[in-house]
Amino acid sequence: MKEFIGLLKAGSRSALWAAVINTIVALIKTAAYLITGNVAMFAEMMHSFGDAANQLFVFIGSSLSKKEPTERFPGGFGRLVNLVLLGAVLIVGVLAYETVVEGFHHISSPVHSKDWFWLNIGILGTAAVLEATVLYKAMKEITEHLPQEKVKGLKIIPESYKHVKNAKPATKLVFLEDNVAVGGALLAMMAIILAAYTPFHSATGYASIVIGLMLILVVGRIFLDNAAGVLGVADVKLQAKIGARVLQHPEIRDIQDLDVIKEGDDLHIELRLEVDPEMKIKAADDIRDHIEANIKNSITNVTDVVIEFDEDDHVATWSGGPQ
């Protein structure tokens, strides 16, 4: 139990924060839907419950992925977060389907009503603000490695979208889901206003369908990213960066092979380097220690660096990318 609690402390904070906020928002929306029967509120309720469950799974998965390797699992648990995310997207997928179906039902039988108008608007406005807060926290996690002058004030918004592809899996999911959450709440508010004050009484039904389709797009994106993560995806840009740095060492003649594999939030690096065949073991060991320390000090989340040596074959192999 003590180890489990320690692992939870290392989990994704943005995912935990998002799970708590979305649970609160989902309960508020549930009460509003039961009172008003508004289909746009139903869509938002389903969305928030899906986000809350999803992000709770993400938090637990990101925590357990930090567990140290064991004899049974010597490769560690880095990819566990990807497996959890693959399971979590199923929940969102089911909720997205129900949201779309409910939207079609409302379009076929629209109801014109101004009852509870301000209650719906007030709750959706509050939800948008709370979910925007979670989105901002995810933006901060995505841009935490950037210089402070790049993320001051509103600069954090474009920078977060620019660097989201390099974010940790858990943070990326929170970021994408809360983009849909904020956009969905604003869309639902617009639909309620249109349905109440114009002849377009089925607007909330269309809004429900659009929100459901946005959720399906998030599900697809997260599924593809994490399916690649489970298989073990290479970081090509980082490979080129590490290769250029390693070749700066005067004793390294060439790089036969270099792999940088993402395993959840962690990076696993393997190198096969060519050196002088007359080099002594002690000198090679010093080079290994120097290169490993250099990589771990300059790149975060590196769990291990495996380095092998081979004699120089006088044939240039490394071209700055994957072999």
Side-chain angles (χ1 to χ4, degrees):
M1 179 60 71
K2 185 177 180 181
E3 181 189 14
F4 179 69
I5 293 174
L7 289 172
L8 289 180
K9 291 180 180 178
S12 170
R13 292 185 180 180
S14 63
L16 176 60
W17 182 256
V20 172
I21 292 296
N22 276 294
T23 299
I24 295 171
V25 170
L27 293 174
I28 294 172
K29 289 176 180 176
T30 300
Y33 171 66
L34 292 176
I35 292 171
T36 67
N38 188 283
V39 71
M41 187 64 73
F42 173 83
E44 280 297 294
M45 176 193 75
M46 297 291 276
H47 182 189
S48 293
F49 272 122
D51 282 356
N54 214 359
Q55 288 153 355
L56 179 61
F57 282 127
V58 170
F59 170 68
I60 294 173
S62 66
S63 301
L64 296 181
S65 69
K66 300 295 190 294
K67 182 177 174 62
E68 294 295 326
T70 63
E71 290 186 6
R72 185 178 181 186
F73 300 103
F77 297 83
R79 300 185 192 184
L80 184 59
V81 65
N82 299 112
L83 288 171
V84 171
L85 285 168
L86 285 177
V89 297
L90 295 177
I91 298 173
V92 182
V94 171
L95 294 177
Y97 169 77
E98 292 295 334
T99 301
V100 172
V101 170
E102 189 66 21
F104 276 115
H105 287 166
H106 186 75
I107 291 172
S108 61
S109 303
V111 177
H112 174 52
S113 175
K114 292 184 181 180
D115 295 340
W116 309 108
F117 175 80
W118 289 111
L119 176 64
N120 285 323
I121 294 296
I123 287 175
L124 289 172
T126 302
V129 172
L130 290 174
E131 286 160 344
T133 302
V134 177
L135 179 60
Y136 178 72
K137 287 184 176 293
M139 288 179 175
K140 289 184 69 175
E141 284 196 16
I142 291 171
T143 58
E144 62 185 0
H145 65 286
L146 299 177
Q148 285 300 310
E149 59 271 14
K150 281 193 172 185
V151 294
K152 283 184 178 180
L154 296 178
K155 290 181 181 179
I156 193 173
I157 298 176
E159 289 296 330
S160 63
Y161 283 95
K162 183 179 178 181
H163 293 90
V164 65
K165 60 183 178 182
N166 299 319
K168 297 176 182 179
T171 305
K172 183 186 291 186
L173 181 138
V174 172
F175 179 81
L176 292 177
E177 283 193 340
D178 276 282
N179 266 284
V180 175
V182 175
L186 296 176
L187 178 62
M189 290 172 66
M190 292 174 58
I192 289 172
I193 294 170
L194 287 173
Y197 292 102
T198 72
F200 189 27
H201 305 318
S202 60
T204 53
Y206 285 101
S208 182
I209 292 174
V210 172
I211 292 169
L213 292 177
M214 287 194 297
L215 282 172
I216 290 172
L217 288 175
V218 170
V219 165
R221 180 69 268 168
I222 296 298
F223 176 82
L224 292 174
D225 286 349
N226 287 280
V230 169
L231 295 174
V233 61
D235 191 323
V236 178
K237 289 184 178 179
L238 199 52
Q239 284 179 189
K241 178 181 177 181
I242 292 174
R245 182 167 297 180
V246 168
L247 285 177
Q248 290 177 359
H249 195 288
E251 299 296 335
I252 303 301
R253 306 288 179 82
D254 196 7
I255 301 175
Q256 283 189 7
D257 193 21
L258 196 169
D259 294 314
V260 180
I261 305 299
K262 289 183 177 179
E263 296 183 341
D265 295 342
D266 301 328
L267 294 170
H268 174 79
I269 300 173
E270 296 184 4
L271 302 101
R272 184 177 294 115
L273 309 176
E274 292 185 8
V275 296
D276 186 342
E278 303 298 326
M279 179 178 289
K280 294 183 178 181
I281 293 177
K282 183 180 183 307
D285 192 54
D286 289 342
I287 293 172
R288 186 199 315 274
D289 292 341
H290 174 78
I291 292 175
E292 181 176 352
N294 192 319
I295 291 174
K296 287 186 173 181
N297 290 335
S298 60
I299 301 171
T300 58
N301 298 323
V302 175
T303 54
D304 62 328
V305 181
V306 178
I307 301 175
E308 298 179 7
F309 292 107
D310 201 355
E311 62 180 290
D312 185 9
D313 59 7
H314 304 287
V315 177
T317 302
W318 182 251
S319 60
Q323 304 303 303

